[in-house]
Amino acid sequence: MKGMGKTIALAGQPNVGKSTVFNLLTGLHQHTGNWTGKTVELKEGEYQYQGVAYLLVDLPGTYSLTSGSPEERITREYIIREKPDLVVAVINAALLERGLYLVAELLALQVPLVIGLNMMDVAAREGILIEPDVLSAALGVPVVPLEATRKAGISELVQTVAAVTAGTRKLEPRKPDIRQDHKELLNRIVRLIGAIDTTPYPLEWTSMKLLEGDEEVVRMVEAIASSEVWREIQELLRQHDDALVAVATGRYEWIARMIRAALVRPQTGPISLTHRLDRWLTHPGWGVLAFAAVMAAVFSLTYSVGIPLQEFLERGVVRNLQGLVSTWTVALPWWVSGVLSEGLIGGIGTLLTFVPILAFFFVFTALMEDVGCLARAAFVMDRFMHAMGLHGKSCLPLIVGFGCNVPGVLGTRVIESTRARLLTLFLVPLVPCTGRMAVIAFLAPIFFGPQAALVTTGMIVLALIILFLSGVIGGKVFFRQERASFIMELPLYHIPNSGTIGMLVWQRSAEFIRKAFLVILPVSLVVWALSRFPSGDVSESFLAAISRGLEPVGALMGFDWRLIVALLAGFIAKENSLATLAVLFGAGGGAALSVLIRSAYSPAVGLAFMVSQLLFIPCAATVAAIRQESRSWRLTLINISYLFLISTILGIAVYQVALWLGLGK
Amino acid sequence: MTPKKNGRISLARLAEGERAIVATLDGGRRILCRLVSLGFTPGAELVMIQNIGGGSLIVQVRDARIALGRGEASRILVVPLLLTD
């Protein structure tokens, strides 16, 4: 591809509609590509124009290119090392100065640039008028006005990209200059490092980043410069520790000159929609109430539509298919039908039953994000998340996790900071999902009768306390001295584009199914085989043998091998624990099972089982989601081991305390 | 409000609706980096949009609405503008 076609990188700050532009250009021709030699996955897509193939690479949204976050490093490393044929900088016309800050940084990288001036409509509504041609003349690069939500300007963008990459449209980019008082300083650094080879990093750019105190560039130069040169540089930087702010100020002064002729702004700002809505939605009281009301509506929809649909798929589709397969394979050995119906169809079916709820939460999250409500929710919830060192945006994935951990985990993508995202990812499996609550809802009345509601509430509170403590500890480990500082943009509200949301939901569902398939199918086959072989009877199976082997540990929680089997079987789906218990006890109906369970175990055992299944290793679909989002089996395994440890320790503690309280009968 | 010398006060103490000019920024490199890229540079004009109780606040700078924690806001010193009308 790269030899013949052109590679175009798409850069932009968050909330500028970059992904809408990306989707409009590439349509369904998208995939995640691994950037050569790196573990970073970037979204790529293709489009054709006049017989030329263009590979479009979607770079992470970033405000600047000074290394502070992984997103900033990825963006600039990609541009410097992969040398795309052209960079399209998407900027928000309503936030012209801010957008040009990133453009100033891109121009310093001396890469061919085209500016996509998006959200012209939003700017017009705010009373801001921009003349793209005047701006283009000032900057020396093409400026294409866009209204991506209405698909306006996209074909002009495609034409401009083609003309620039083909060399028919020449660029004469204006290089952003540095403030007069720091020019001499910059020149001295350029002379100092002129002797060393900084390829592929441009000399002047490297000097500028040194001046800004960019950690990565400082490390790089320290490693390759001679000790005398390095000492001199260090001395210079020490004398000018205000250079970071000075360089940035210089950029904004340059921007002010560039836009002077192109921008007409209102004398007195009109009271905008954003302003009116924010009077309510960012208010510490009303905002939290509004958010709570939205979440309540979402969950009642999940329970009234999503979960019945899931049950219908489970009973109506999966069970019927399994029944059909069993009748077809009746003449074959027992395990053939087992592999097909329980292993294969059971595994795929479990995955498919997730899809409606998943898609629903995807639509909800995408809407919240696109409209601009997510940032407001994060703002009002921040004070609650703050204690854990987490960002307000971590709140939504955690709450969604109550419905199902899978969309909760996948929803962590809205968190820009990688560290905060990974910590949130780590915490989502501690949120009690509906599957786990179903097990508790069944068991609590058996052991505690009228106090069942109290016990159930206690379970949720316990899970939330563990989540909070894990967050506080995790925050200390993940962030060390650097607290997740709260600096967040509240984007202007805007009407979402249904095409973009549809595309996003489709892509994310398809991506999850594809990846989860590879985890869930083998897992369900292995668990099935373990639970049936060698004889076909669960109680004589390998799984039972393993569980009997684990009985010494289980005994500390009062578990016999059957409860251990039930706990392990929950790995396919949490609700499976109950079905497995029913099989192991040879129960015919729900009522009979409850009697059998009560006569077999004391309330102390019941309590310990509920606690440990609540915090136990999440289901295979969640594990697949954690793997997909963390992009690391190591982190996934650490997460699983942590949950395993917590659930075992708490199971033992709860059992021992319950015995001491006299619940052993 | 009791202004510090040169009429500078912490951004956290600017009242809703008041305008001010950024004077100085202070803090670790990461935070500075983020603040300047969002447009908080000395000389930039801003408006306090929301400042209720002890919580986070919302400021408009370079046309963008930025939410800041109180701790982050106290790192920014501003000179309030007097309303002329």
Side-chain angles (χ1 to χ4, degrees), chain A residues 55-113:
Chain A
L55 176 70
L56 196 65
V57 180
D58 193 18
L59 298 174
T62 166
Y63 289 107
S64 75
L65 294 183
T66 306
S67 97
S69 69
E71 293 72 27
E72 287 156 340
R73 280 196 288 276
I74 292 166
T75 300
R76 76 176 196 203
E77 286 292 301
Y78 181 87
I79 294 172
I80 292 170
R81 292 186 180 276
E82 299 292 304
K83 298 189 174 57
D85 295 296
L86 178 83
V87 174
V88 174
V90 181
I91 66 178
N92 182 343
L95 302 173
L96 189 60
E97 282 178 276
R98 256 263 312 279
L100 288 178
Y101 190 83
L102 181 65
V103 168
E105 290 244 57
L106 289 167
L107 284 173
L109 285 175
Q110 292 162 4
V111 59
L113 194 73

Side-chain angles (χ1 to χ4, degrees), chain A residues 223-562:
Chain A
I224 53 178
S226 70
S227 53
E228 301 96 78
V229 170
W230 177 242
R231 222 169 305 128
E232 264 188 80
I233 294 174
Q234 238 180 341
E235 184 55 27
L236 274 179
L237 295 181
R238 209 182 46 76
Q239 288 166 5
H240 298 91
D241 57 350
D242 63 333
L244 167 65
V245 176
V247 170
T249 310
R251 271 188 205 121
Y252 273 114
E253 285 168 3
W254 176 81
I255 291 165
R257 287 200 297 281
M258 292 299 109
I259 64 173
R260 195 171 295 149
L263 180 76
V264 180
R265 53 170 68 252
Q267 277 307 305
T268 49
I271 303 289
S272 65
L273 173 72
T274 296
H275 194 79
R276 267 175 289 154
L277 280 175
D278 271 354
R279 290 233 67 90
W280 297 95
L281 294 183
T282 58
H283 187 275
W286 297 118
V288 172
L289 272 181
F291 181 55
V294 169
M295 288 317 299
V298 164
F299 276 109
S300 74
L301 249 167
T302 316
Y303 284 109
S304 60
V305 181
I307 292 183
L309 192 61
Q310 185 174 26
E311 279 166 3
F312 164 76
L313 286 173
E314 171 71 30
R315 253 185 253 121
V317 180
V318 178
R319 296 274 165 80
N320 281 343
L321 262 176
Q322 286 174 326
L324 267 179
V325 170
S326 306
T327 45
W328 290 339
T329 52
V330 77
L332 300 167
W334 64 269
W335 55 268
V336 175
S337 125
V339 167
L340 287 177
S341 87
E342 286 175 57
L344 209 64
I345 300 177
I348 300 170
T350 309
L351 185 56
L352 289 184
T353 59
F354 273 109
V355 173
I357 290 192
L358 212 57
F360 175 71
F361 278 114
F362 282 160
V363 172
F364 167 66
T365 320
L367 266 177
M368 286 280 282
E369 195 177 6
D370 236 39
V371 173
C373 287
L374 183 63
R376 272 75 187 181
F379 175 74
V380 294
M381 295 307 287
D382 186 68
R383 60 178 76 200
F384 304 105
M385 306 310 291
H386 213 82
M388 288 191 267
L390 278 178
H391 194 276
K393 280 195 181 172
S394 304
C395 165
L396 194 75
L398 289 174
I399 292 179
V400 165
F402 277 101
C404 173
N405 283 182
V406 174
V409 168
L410 298 176
T412 56
R413 235 179 254 191
V414 297
I415 305 162
E416 287 121 30
S417 145
T418 308
R419 274 177 250 223
R421 181 165 62 231
L422 287 177
L423 180 56
T424 313
L425 198 63
F426 208 83
L427 295 178
V428 171
L430 288 166
V431 178
C433 68
T434 44
R436 281 180 255 192
M437 289 315 293
V439 176
I440 288 174
F442 179 79
L443 291 178
I446 297 177
F447 291 105
F448 297 96
Q451 276 93 47
L454 192 68
V455 172
T456 310
T457 313
M459 291 288 158
I460 298 176
V461 170
L462 176 74
L464 292 182
I465 290 172
I466 299 296
L467 186 141
F468 182 79
L469 293 178
S470 305
V472 172
I473 296 164
K476 292 256 188 310
V477 176
F478 268 98
F479 297 109
R480 304 228 167 79
Q481 77 283 17
E482 173 215 2
R483 192 181 59 82
S485 59
F486 188 65
I487 305 173
M488 181 183 64
E489 183 179 1
L490 300 178
L492 295 170
Y493 289 99
H494 76 279
I495 294 158
N497 176 270
S498 58
T500 307
I501 290 188
M503 179 92 81
L504 191 83
V505 171
W506 161 250
Q507 276 169 1
R508 301 200 59 187
S509 308
E511 182 189 7
F512 173 71
I513 291 168
R514 215 175 328 116
K515 292 198 174 167
F517 198 69
L518 298 174
V519 174
I520 290 177
L521 197 61
V523 164
S524 71
L525 281 173
V526 166
V527 173
W528 176 83
L530 285 174
S531 67
R532 284 296 186 277
F533 283 108
S535 69
D537 182 354
V538 182
S539 55
E540 292 166 8
S541 68
F542 293 124
L543 192 61
I546 293 169
S547 302
R548 286 197 180 93
L550 289 172
E551 269 189 332
V553 183
L556 296 171
M557 298 180 262
F559 293 4
D560 64 358
W561 66 273
R562 288 176 296 195

Side-chain angles (χ1 to χ4, degrees), chain A residues 63-64 66-68 94-95 97-98 101 128 212-215 244-245 248-249 252 265 274-275 278-279 282-284 376 379 382-383 416 419 482-483 485-490, chain B residues 16 19 25 28-43 49-50 52-58 60-73:
Chain A
Y63 289 107
S64 75
T66 306
S67 97
L95 302 173
E97 282 178 276
R98 256 263 312 279
Y101 190 83
I128 299 169
E212 288 180 78
D214 185 294
E215 284 160 33
L244 167 65
V245 176
T249 310
Y252 273 114
R265 53 170 68 252
T274 296
H275 194 79
D278 271 354
R279 290 233 67 90
T282 58
H283 187 275
R376 272 75 187 181
F379 175 74
D382 186 68
R383 60 178 76 200
E416 287 121 30
R419 274 177 250 223
E482 173 215 2
R483 192 181 59 82
S485 59
F486 188 65
I487 305 173
M488 181 183 64
E489 183 179 1
L490 300 178
Chain B
E16 271 180 30
R19 289 175 178 274
L25 304 165
R29 221 194 67 83
R30 292 248 161 111
I31 290 191
L32 277 185
C33 217
R34 194 141 168 86
L35 285 174
V36 296
S37 64
L38 284 168
F40 291 96
T41 55
I49 302 288
Q50 181 182 313
I52 303 173
S56 309
L57 35 87
I58 303 175
Q60 184 159 320
V61 63
R62 299 189 194 274
D63 301 317
R65 285 175 175 234
I66 312 291
L68 291 171
R70 207 147 271 274
E72 286 76 25

